[in-house]
Amino acid sequence: MSTSEGAWLSLEEKSAGGRNNMFAIGLECRECKEHYPKKVLNACQLCFGPVDVIYDYDKISSAISRTKIEKRKPTLWRYIELLPIDDTDKIVDIGAGFTPLLKADKLAKELGLKEVYLKNDAVNPSYSFKDRPASVAVTKALEFGMPAVGCASTGNLAGALAAHAAKAGLPCFVFVPEGLEITKITQTLAYGAIIVAVKGTYDQVNRLATELAVTSNIGFANINIRPYYVEGSKTLAFEVCEQLGWNPPDHVIVPMASGALLHSIGRGFQEFERVGLIKENHVKISGAQPNGCSPIIQALLNKTDEIIPVEHPNTICKSLAIGDPADGYYAIQTMKNTGGTGRASTDEETLGAIELLAKTEGIFTEPAGGVVVATLKKLAEEGEIDRDEKIVLYITGNGLKTQETIAEKLIKPPTIEPSFEAFKKLLDELKPAGVIWRRNSA
Ligand SMILES: Cc1ncc(COP(=O)(O)O)c(C=O)c1O
Ligand SMILES: [Zn+2]
């Protein structure tokens, strides 16, 4: 099956042929460094540590160049050499990645900062950053010849995986905690996935999905093919460097649930330096979580590596409600080793931040993005952030998917009679600044 039509190659490269992409050489345990071949495996068989894809970086350095990448299509697949796909014919592409990096001058001014950018990943095909790891996971499932895909999700992966599975023609099984935002469920159903709401927290959902993953040949994106899946998120670091003229920013702020995204972004900056696409990597990586579920931030601020799971997450930020974060420890190491930090925000602060972002920059985010903006605000107010830094905020999900969380806080639209008089009366009440009427018809 070929789903890759035009996914990544420039015209020049296409005419030169070449379907194999043999740069990923195997898997390595993050803890004991044991090596494994590229297979379906998510934990080390010796120490149960997580396993990561490893690459032949020297080979990549000589194969890749800025000019070569710049000529490729604007999707995450332009970084193909640093993605764990062997057969590029299998690529499942619905246009994920290469989202806008926007300079946020009004927001920066409001917070007393100089240079703030928004990486607007809310405009991906299914409206969250999860399209990146999902497209890699579904492609890998095709490579492994798996008959179906699945996932445990806090909402966004559900839609992303279902969309890519639809394109690949694979059945998709999605497990979510009950009580998710209605749009996320509707969207997933529209793509034709089988979505099951489980009475319990995300951690309980994840345990059930893990049991299904080990007892079937279904490719569970964030379970049995997780090492490949997380690689998609690295492209959020690659793109930011490319969009800043092949320079890394000084500081980034990343929302955290399992901590995988933050850890992957850290890996992305390191890899770009390793293969010579950027000169030096000194990016500080900071994390953001909602107060009602902030196990990683609590451990970071308490200066401990021991994460105490949150048994009953309680926040409007459902996409970040993972009480027992699988990559929490590694996210803490990434924040500490890069000189970053982190903060948690209350639901009220998150809602305020969603409005602030929408009203200053015209970007409507879901609560995960609100948590990031709230964290920047806090760090700026506390003087914890250097005002001259070049800062990038990762806006990872779209506000249209979680409208009910903010709707109540906003002023209801007024209804008027269909007459000029009625509208004029309304304007007299609202008194919009600077509006002048050329003709007084009253
Ligand atoms: C919009 C959004 N941002 C950020 C995250 C955090 O991802 P991770 O679990 O990799 O930390 C999620 C997780 O679902 C999400 O949906
Ligand atoms: Zn190991």
Side-chain angles (χ1 to χ4, degrees):
M1 178 187 328
S2 176
T3 44
S4 68
E5 192 46 45
W8 62 282
L9 283 169
S10 64
L11 283 176
E12 263 166 54
E13 286 177 277
K14 218 174 216 172
S15 56
R19 290 293 181 196
N20 287 339
N21 184 59
M22 304 301 276
F23 296 96
I25 48 181
L27 300 172
E28 183 186 79
C29 172
R30 212 178 281 171
E31 290 298 325
C32 76
K33 308 296 173 199
E34 179 72 6
H35 280 198
Y36 297 93
K38 288 176 275 186
K39 61 176 184 176
V40 180
L41 179 79
N42 78 327
C44 173
Q45 286 161 348
L46 300 181
C47 76
F48 301 110
V51 290
D52 294 312
V53 178
I54 47 169
Y55 297 84
D56 183 340
Y57 291 117
D58 291 334
K59 193 170 158 193
I60 295 174
S61 302
S62 28
I64 208 169
S65 74
R66 293 176 181 177
T67 338
K68 210 171 189 178
I69 294 171
E70 280 164 359
K71 284 186 191 155
R72 292 178 178 167
K73 301 271 162 54
T75 75
L76 66 97
W77 296 105
R78 68 206 266 115
Y79 310 105
I80 185 77
E81 291 85 353
L82 287 157
L83 291 170
I85 300 303
D86 299 342
D87 177 1
T88 61
D89 257 353
K90 294 276 191 319
I91 289 175
V92 182
D93 171 42
I94 55 171
F98 221 70
T99 52
L101 182 74
L102 306 163
K103 193 140 188 271
D105 286 337
K106 282 182 72 198
L107 178 68
K109 194 166 170 220
E110 186 79 25
L111 303 180
L113 300 168
K114 270 213 184 125
E115 216 179 336
V116 177
Y117 295 84
L118 307 170
K119 179 61 174 164
N120 186 15
D121 238 33
V123 297
N124 268 306
S126 79
Y127 306 102
S128 86
F129 89 96
K130 291 282 184 184
D131 283 324
R132 297 171 186 271
S135 63
V136 175
V138 175
T139 302
K140 205 65 201 172
L142 285 181
E143 264 191 22
F144 283 135
M146 293 169 134
V149 290
C151 67
S153 172
T154 56
N156 283 315
L157 177 57
L161 194 74
H164 286 85
K167 177 72 174 168
L170 290 179
C172 179
F173 300 93
V174 170
F175 298 86
V176 295
E178 66 176 345
L180 275 196
E181 297 94 342
I182 186 74
T183 310
K184 289 182 180 171
I185 305 221
T186 310
Q187 178 192 21
T188 306
L189 286 171
Y191 297 128
I194 294 165
I195 180 165
V196 182
V198 178
K199 292 182 181 168
T201 61
Y202 173 83
D203 293 314
Q204 290 170 307
V205 173
N206 193 41
R207 274 196 287 278
L208 169 63
T210 304
E211 209 176 314
L212 300 173
V214 294
T215 52
S216 76
N217 56 355
I218 300 173
F220 274 82
N222 50 351
I223 302 171
N224 53 357
I225 48 174
R226 188 174 176 85
Y228 308 97
Y229 155 86
V230 293
E231 292 292 279
S233 301
K234 292 185 314 193
T235 55
L236 269 167
F238 300 162
E239 286 175 22
V240 162
C241 293
E242 184 179 346
Q243 289 168 318
L244 289 173
W246 300 101
N247 289 304
D250 300 315
H251 201 146
V252 299
I253 304 184
V254 185
M256 298 185 293
S258 72
L261 171 63
L262 185 138
H263 180 258
S264 300
I265 286 177
R267 210 168 119 87
F269 286 120
Q270 280 174 2
E271 284 186 343
F272 245 33
E273 184 187 34
R274 173 71 185 76
V275 300
L277 287 169
I278 53 171
K279 274 210 196 89
E280 276 179 347
N281 163 34
H282 296 300
V283 187
K284 291 181 201 158
I285 303 181
S286 292
Q289 290 199 296
N291 248 357
C293 186
S294 56
I296 309 178
I297 293 294
Q298 295 319 317
L300 179 84
L301 298 181
N302 291 332
K303 298 191 170 24
T304 167
D305 287 340
E306 198 192 323
I307 292 171
I308 301 169
V310 173
E311 247 180 71
H312 299 289
N314 181 14
T315 169
I316 55 157
C317 192
K318 295 178 200 282
S319 63
L320 299 184
I322 294 186
D324 193 3
D327 276 304
Y329 169 82
Y330 300 102
I332 292 176
Q333 305 317 308
T334 302
M335 288 185 274
K336 282 201 302 202
N337 295 340
T338 61
T341 179
R343 290 292 180 274
S345 53
T346 63
D347 285 351
E348 213 182 320
E349 288 166 335
T350 302
L351 290 173
I354 293 175
E355 266 197 278
L356 176 66
L357 183 67
K359 288 180 176 165
T360 52
E361 298 297 336
I363 302 294
F364 184 30
T365 180
E366 73 144 85
V371 168
V372 168
V373 174
T375 292
L376 175 67
K377 186 165 184 277
K378 245 177 219 186
L379 293 175
E381 282 166 2
E382 290 171 20
E384 280 286 327
I385 213 154
D386 183 346
R387 287 178 190 277
D388 293 333
E389 281 181 342
K390 190 180 282 190
I391 303 159
V392 173
L393 305 183
Y394 282 107
I395 305 300
T396 50
N398 200 302
L400 290 178
K401 293 217 247 179
T402 57
Q403 294 182 54
E404 60 266 43
T405 54
I406 185 122
E408 275 192 12
K409 195 170 179 282
L410 304 171
I411 301 164
K412 302 279 165 297
T415 306
I416 59 165
E417 293 301 324
S419 74
F420 182 86
E421 277 314 307
F423 183 60
K424 190 118 194 321
K425 188 164 167 280
L426 179 69
L427 274 192
D428 287 344
E429 285 162 30
L430 296 177
K431 295 187 181 58
V435 175
I436 299 165
W437 295 98
R438 282 189 238 291
R439 177 172 67 95
N440 187 353
S441 80

mmCIF file of all heavy atoms in Angstrom, residues 40 169 174 236 238 366:
data_model
loop_
_atom_site.group_PDB
_atom_site.id
_atom_site.type_symbol
_atom_site.label_atom_id
_atom_site.label_comp_id
_atom_site.label_asym_id
_atom_site.label_seq_id
_atom_site.Cartn_x
_atom_site.Cartn_y
_atom_site.Cartn_z
ATOM 1 N N VAL A 40 8.934 -4.823 17.722
ATOM 2 C CA VAL A 40 7.862 -4.333 18.596
ATOM 3 C C VAL A 40 8.280 -4.574 20.043
ATOM 4 O O VAL A 40 8.280 -5.709 20.530
ATOM 5 C CB VAL A 40 6.533 -5.068 18.286
ATOM 6 C CG1 VAL A 40 5.414 -4.569 19.197
ATOM 7 C CG2 VAL A 40 6.148 -4.876 16.824
ATOM 8 N N GLY A 169 -6.143 2.943 6.209
ATOM 9 C CA GLY A 169 -7.076 1.834 6.019
ATOM 10 C C GLY A 169 -6.969 0.772 7.106
ATOM 11 O O GLY A 169 -7.258 -0.403 6.874
ATOM 12 N N VAL A 174 -9.724 2.967 20.310
ATOM 13 C CA VAL A 174 -9.301 4.063 21.180
ATOM 14 C C VAL A 174 -9.953 3.915 22.558
ATOM 15 O O VAL A 174 -11.166 3.726 22.656
ATOM 16 C CB VAL A 174 -9.719 5.416 20.542
ATOM 17 C CG1 VAL A 174 -9.524 6.555 21.508
ATOM 18 C CG2 VAL A 174 -8.942 5.668 19.255
ATOM 19 N N LEU A 236 9.051 18.831 16.586
ATOM 20 C CA LEU A 236 8.688 20.142 17.125
ATOM 21 C C LEU A 236 9.929 20.953 17.484
ATOM 22 O O LEU A 236 9.900 22.189 17.489
ATOM 23 C CB LEU A 236 7.780 19.974 18.351
ATOM 24 C CG LEU A 236 6.292 19.961 18.025
ATOM 25 C CD1 LEU A 236 5.473 19.482 19.205
ATOM 26 C CD2 LEU A 236 5.824 21.335 17.581
ATOM 27 N N PHE A 238 12.931 20.335 15.776
ATOM 28 C CA PHE A 238 13.577 20.555 14.470
ATOM 29 C C PHE A 238 12.981 21.780 13.767
ATOM 30 O O PHE A 238 13.692 22.649 13.274
ATOM 31 C CB PHE A 238 13.373 19.342 13.541
ATOM 32 C CG PHE A 238 13.920 18.027 14.054
ATOM 33 C CD1 PHE A 238 13.489 16.818 13.505
ATOM 34 C CD2 PHE A 238 14.875 17.984 15.068
ATOM 35 C CE1 PHE A 238 13.987 15.605 13.949
ATOM 36 C CE2 PHE A 238 15.385 16.771 15.524
ATOM 37 C CZ PHE A 238 14.930 15.569 14.954
ATOM 38 N N GLU A 366 -6.593 25.241 23.383
ATOM 39 C CA GLU A 366 -7.251 24.448 24.428
ATOM 40 C C GLU A 366 -6.477 24.663 25.739
ATOM 41 O O GLU A 366 -5.405 25.282 25.735
ATOM 42 C CB GLU A 366 -7.271 22.976 24.017
ATOM 43 C CG GLU A 366 -5.927 22.271 24.101
ATOM 44 C CD GLU A 366 -6.090 20.808 24.546
ATOM 45 O OE1 GLU A 366 -6.340 19.952 23.689
ATOM 46 O OE2 GLU A 366 -5.970 20.558 25.760
#
